[in-house]
Amino acid sequence: SNTLYLRVRIGDIGDDLYVILIADVSEQRRFEAVRRDFVTNVSHELKTPAGAIALLAETIGDAADDPDAVRYFAGRVTKESKRLTELVQHLIDLQRAQASQGVMDVERLSAVDVARAAIAENHVQAEARHVDIRLSVNGRPVSASEDDEEQPETPTTEGKGGNESVKSEPMIMADREAMRTAVKNLVENAIHYSPEHTTVAVGVSEHDGKVIIRVVDQGIGIPEKSLDRIFERFYRVDPARSRATGGSGLGLAITKHCVQENGGRISVWSREGEGSTFTIEMPQAPTDAGGNASDDTGD
Ligand code: ADP
């Protein structure tokens, strides 16, 4: 039953001219099953906040003469809507990552630029939770801000001192969007699963022909038995907590997909109560011969 026979009649030449295609479709069947599971999961994930919003709206209606209650429930509606929005954004990211197979826009990129863009996307959440995001390159602290004009952290003796480090930035060959999405999700999680007033350290470094992008948090950590499951779609260590804080369960699956599609690897170290470290390892881009100055330091 895993074999598909297809008889195709060719043209109008005669009655007996057919091509018979025989295909093993067991792989497709497996794929179908995975897809069905995925759709079931997505439907469930969408229904939960949507149902909550409906219920909360009803409650607001009932509590119309109690301003405190109205404020409280309105706040929860906002939270659930944000969850919906994040889930939809993650679905779009996942779809994009999967559809991109083979048609990625691979270019020479500064891994530091990628890290800065990913940090910028988490700026608001980090500030709201008083989480300090730091960036370092080969162990040296640099500005985490995308705005290159102000690099206050490294006092420079000569005016152009800042550009020196830019020139030696670790370079990778990858799709910019995919890599930014990958790192963005790691930083998002690092903030999500950390107490307020902690630090998230993003480090970019070179080692043995590899470029390492590392995201280190001082958060709740991940139990050992969950470590090899967290990259699965919709897997969560603590579903209640993750949902309450807005997690979609898709972030790490997207990250892993993006990294692997670009020839890299991802790994995790974690200890409960101490924090987690996610490490992306990318092949280093071959050095550009002839002093090609096309590596843009801006945008
Ligand atoms: P979610 O949207 O739930 O965060 P992810 O795929 O991004 O989904 O992560 C899967 C699960 O892995 C999370 O629900 C959480 O339990 C755990 N996790 C991911 N990153 C971290 C982290 N930095 N610290 C602690 N737990 C984490």
Side-chain angles (χ1 to χ4, degrees):
S1 68
N2 279 333
T3 312
L4 177 76
Y5 294 92
L6 205 62
R7 206 166 67 138
V8 185
R9 188 170 161 211
I10 302 185
D12 250 349
I13 312 167
D15 281 340
D16 298 329
L17 201 54
Y18 290 98
V19 170
I20 296 177
L21 299 168
I22 302 168
D24 179 5
V25 290
S26 53
E27 188 59 34
Q28 282 95 313
R29 293 240 156 88
R30 250 195 311 278
F31 179 76
E32 256 310 294
V34 170
R35 200 190 58 83
R36 259 197 313 271
D37 280 356
F38 181 70
V39 171
T40 308
N41 276 325
V42 169
S43 314
H44 176 76
E45 296 296 332
L46 287 172
K47 262 195 210 152
T48 314
I53 289 170
L55 204 67
L56 287 164
E58 213 178 288
T59 316
I60 291 177
D62 292 344
D65 45 4
D66 179 350
D68 283 344
V70 168
R71 250 194 303 278
Y72 170 76
F73 288 116
R76 289 195 47 197
V77 167
T78 309
K79 206 159 151 187
E80 293 296 330
S81 331
K82 279 190 182 145
R83 237 181 89 190
L84 260 183
T85 311
E86 185 187 306
L87 177 62
V88 170
Q89 182 57 51
H90 277 179
L91 284 170
I92 292 168
D93 286 348
L94 185 67
Q95 157 69 21
R96 198 172 283 157
Q98 289 177 339
S100 77
Q101 277 162 337
V103 289
M104 285 183 306
D105 187 9
V106 174
E107 56 178 321
R108 209 176 135 81
L109 296 176
S110 153
V112 181
D113 283 352
V114 170
R116 284 207 178 102
I119 292 170
E121 283 195 78
N122 284 288
H123 184 73
V124 176
Q125 292 96 307
E127 220 156 55
R129 310 215 53 237
H130 306 284
V131 169
D132 186 19
I133 306 183
R134 303 209 178 132
L135 177 64
S136 69
V137 183
N138 289 323
R140 278 177 44 200
V142 295
S143 164
S145 159
E146 272 193 307
D147 193 350
D148 262 344
E149 303 315 325
E150 32 176 322
Q151 288 219 335
E153 311 211 2
T154 35
T156 52
T157 40
E158 302 141 39
K160 281 287 164 191
N163 278 342
E164 225 172 89
S165 66
V166 171
K167 271 212 182 101
S168 60
E169 271 178 14
M171 303 297 286
I172 56 176
M173 292 292 296
D175 181 280
R176 186 183 293 272
E177 284 283 302
M179 291 312 295
R180 197 199 53 209
T181 302
V183 181
K184 175 196 80 176
N185 290 340
L186 294 185
V187 177
E188 191 173 290
N189 282 345
I191 299 167
H192 238 108
Y193 299 104
S194 293
E196 297 200 344
H197 301 286
T198 54
T199 298
V200 169
V202 182
V204 178
S205 59
E206 282 157 301
H207 184 70
D208 269 353
K210 300 227 155 58
V211 173
I212 317 280
I213 305 172
R214 191 161 274 163
V215 180
V216 184
D217 68 53
Q218 305 168 323
I220 59 170
I222 301 160
E224 203 180 332
K225 64 172 169 40
S226 299
L227 278 178
D228 51 352
R229 297 207 58 196
I230 53 171
F231 294 99
E232 291 171 20
R233 293 185 297 202
F234 295 114
Y235 180 82
R236 296 165 169 118
V237 174
D238 179 351
R241 183 197 165 103
S242 173
R243 290 214 183 87
T245 52
S248 73
L250 289 173
L252 289 178
I254 295 167
T255 292
K256 185 178 178 186
H257 198 94
C258 290
V259 168
Q260 287 185 341
E261 280 302 301
N262 283 279
R265 288 188 348 188
I266 180 158
S267 57
V268 56
W269 174 94
S270 185
R271 195 165 285 158
E272 272 183 285
E274 277 183 37
S276 309
T277 297
F278 285 84
T279 304
I280 294 176
E281 212 180 278
M282 302 295 296
Q284 194 171 7
T287 36
D288 230 3
N292 190 337
S294 68
D295 314 334
D296 49 351
T297 54
D299 76 309

